[in-house]
Amino acid sequence: MTRAPRHFLDLDRFDEGTLRRMLDLGLAYKKGKAANPQPLKGRMLALIFEKPSTRTRVSFEVGMKQLGGDVVVLSHLETQLGRGETVADTARVLSRYVDAIMLRTAAPAKLLELAEHASVPVINGLTDTTHPCQIMADIMTFEERRGPIMGKVVAWSGDGNNVAASWIQAAALFRFEMRLACPAALMPDAKVVEWARAKGATILLTDEPLRAVAGADCVVTDTWVSMGFAEENRREQLAPFAVTERLMSKARPDALFMHCLPAHRGEEVSDGVLDGSHSVVWDEAENRLHAQKGILTWCLE
Ligand code: CP
Ligand code: NVA
């Protein structure tokens, strides 16, 4: 009997224990304490990008190679996907060549279709609605600095986008409070908020950044214009949500500042905050590598 592939599609499909197992595996690699540092010898990962990437591409490629495996990187424009071959057929074909597939795409439906028809694990490398690999790295980063995130307060100020949605899902699973300050027209997906609240999470939605950030243990933001989204009047709407030294000073004195990067200095975050003493953004970027090594191992073990 063949086992169903272990996909990594979204945080809301997991319980905390399973996500912690992935994080623990990732941390063991990071500390050089993994029982087997190269469990994926001879395994091959396909990376499909329908949007640009620096961190996701490099961290998956380096991570897979460090685990003993290898990668094939595909831009959809160079494949038959870009000429209309179906996602389902692509899934069936790639499953005959590789052991896992990571996809970065706009449409979450495409990711689900790939997972439905692939006989190998599929990993979400960002869609327009979520970015789970990023938040796994962010939880790892928070806990390395401040210990268990349970019961802590994470404040988001900015666009209620894909990264915000994965933070909300994480709040329900890792049991921390999430406060999001967003313009009324750019609030996070109501279904995600509803799901998290139904799981017992405390999710505050406000249009006042000061209210979200007051006394927070961690302040997070992201670009005002995500890949593939129109600028429209986003900059105008989001300007009051910029994370500046003044806003950061309302959080706890030891609060961390996080940003998934790439940052737009002088827009969603000031240079002073990004380069300042609260900022852990380079650790977050590094931890993409370690967290994803844990995810890959869990998917393929
Ligand atoms: N944070 C993140 O996913 O970065 P890239 O777009 O560079 O992969
Ligand atoms: N919200 C951003 C994240 C980039 C890693 C985007 O989707 O463009």
Side-chain angles (χ1 to χ4, degrees):
M1 202 178 77
T2 49
R3 200 188 66 177
R6 281 183 162 182
H7 301 306
F8 184 80
L9 299 177
D10 269 313
L11 301 181
D12 63 359
R13 294 182 173 235
F14 295 102
D15 55 30
E16 184 188 0
T18 309
L19 295 175
R20 287 231 170 261
R21 170 154 169 70
M22 299 176 203
L23 290 176
D24 289 347
L25 280 164
L27 276 173
Y29 292 125
K30 182 173 184 178
K31 293 177 184 157
K33 289 187 175 159
N36 177 4
Q38 295 212 310
L40 303 187
K41 277 207 177 97
R43 314 294 283 278
M44 189 63 81
L45 169 69
L47 299 169
I48 309 175
F49 289 97
E50 296 191 348
K51 292 180 178 226
S53 168
T54 298
R55 281 144 287 268
T56 304
R57 163 152 188 191
V58 178
S59 56
F60 267 111
E61 183 158 353
V62 170
M64 191 65 187
K65 288 181 177 174
Q66 288 180 352
L67 292 169
D70 209 339
V71 295
V72 191
V73 186
L74 302 163
S75 153
H76 76 299
L77 294 175
E78 294 158 4
T79 68
Q80 300 289 5
L81 257 181
R83 292 183 61 249
E85 185 168 19
T86 68
V87 175
D89 289 350
T90 306
R92 293 179 183 111
V93 171
L94 288 181
S95 298
R96 301 290 177 107
Y97 299 132
V98 302
D99 302 282
I101 307 168
M102 188 236 67
L103 174 64
R104 167 169 286 195
T105 185
K110 205 179 258 190
L111 181 81
L112 296 182
E113 195 181 346
L114 189 74
E116 187 184 339
H117 297 282
S119 55
V120 299
V122 169
I123 298 173
N124 179 354
L126 178 146
T127 70
D128 281 357
T129 56
T130 57
H131 195 5
C133 289
Q134 179 67 51
I135 277 49
M136 290 291 275
D138 295 351
I139 300 293
M140 180 183 275
T141 306
F142 184 95
E143 295 198 332
E144 279 180 329
R145 298 276 184 147
R146 296 286 180 268
I149 197 165
M150 189 175 85
K152 298 284 201 270
V153 176
V154 176
W156 176 277
S157 183
D159 180 20
N161 64 11
N162 46 3
V163 176
S166 287
W167 266 109
I168 293 168
Q169 292 174 339
L173 295 164
F174 292 97
R175 292 167 287 156
F176 56 88
E177 181 180 336
M178 189 81 210
R179 303 182 195 154
L180 299 106
C182 314
L186 298 172
M187 282 287 168
D189 184 342
K191 282 205 183 72
V192 173
V193 174
E194 200 180 306
W195 174 86
R197 285 182 175 154
K199 294 279 279 183
T202 304
I203 311 288
L204 172 84
L205 300 180
T206 174
D207 59 3
E208 295 171 41
L210 283 174
R211 202 170 151 221
V213 166
D217 297 282
C218 181
V219 178
V220 195
T221 192
D222 186 14
T223 179
W224 288 344
V225 188
S226 282
M227 292 179 279
F229 285 74
E231 200 284 329
E232 291 170 3
N233 58 345
R234 280 169 168 271
R235 285 188 171 80
E236 207 172 280
Q237 289 183 76
L238 283 156
F241 296 82
V243 181
T244 58
E245 288 90 324
R246 186 173 162 272
L247 185 64
M248 204 61 216
S249 73
K250 307 295 176 192
R252 276 176 61 99
D254 65 347
L256 301 179
F257 170 74
M258 291 200 186
H259 189 311
C260 65
L261 306 177
H264 302 78
R265 291 167 176 267
E267 291 198 357
E268 75 273 6
V269 60
S270 66
D271 281 330
V273 171
L274 195 69
D275 300 325
S277 59
H278 298 280
S279 177
V280 290
V281 299
W282 317 119
D283 287 0
E284 284 179 85
E286 179 186 335
N287 281 337
R288 290 292 302 277
L289 172 69
H290 308 298
Q292 286 160 198
K293 285 170 77 176
I295 293 167
L296 283 166
T297 307
W298 178 83
C299 286
L300 289 167
E301 72 187 351

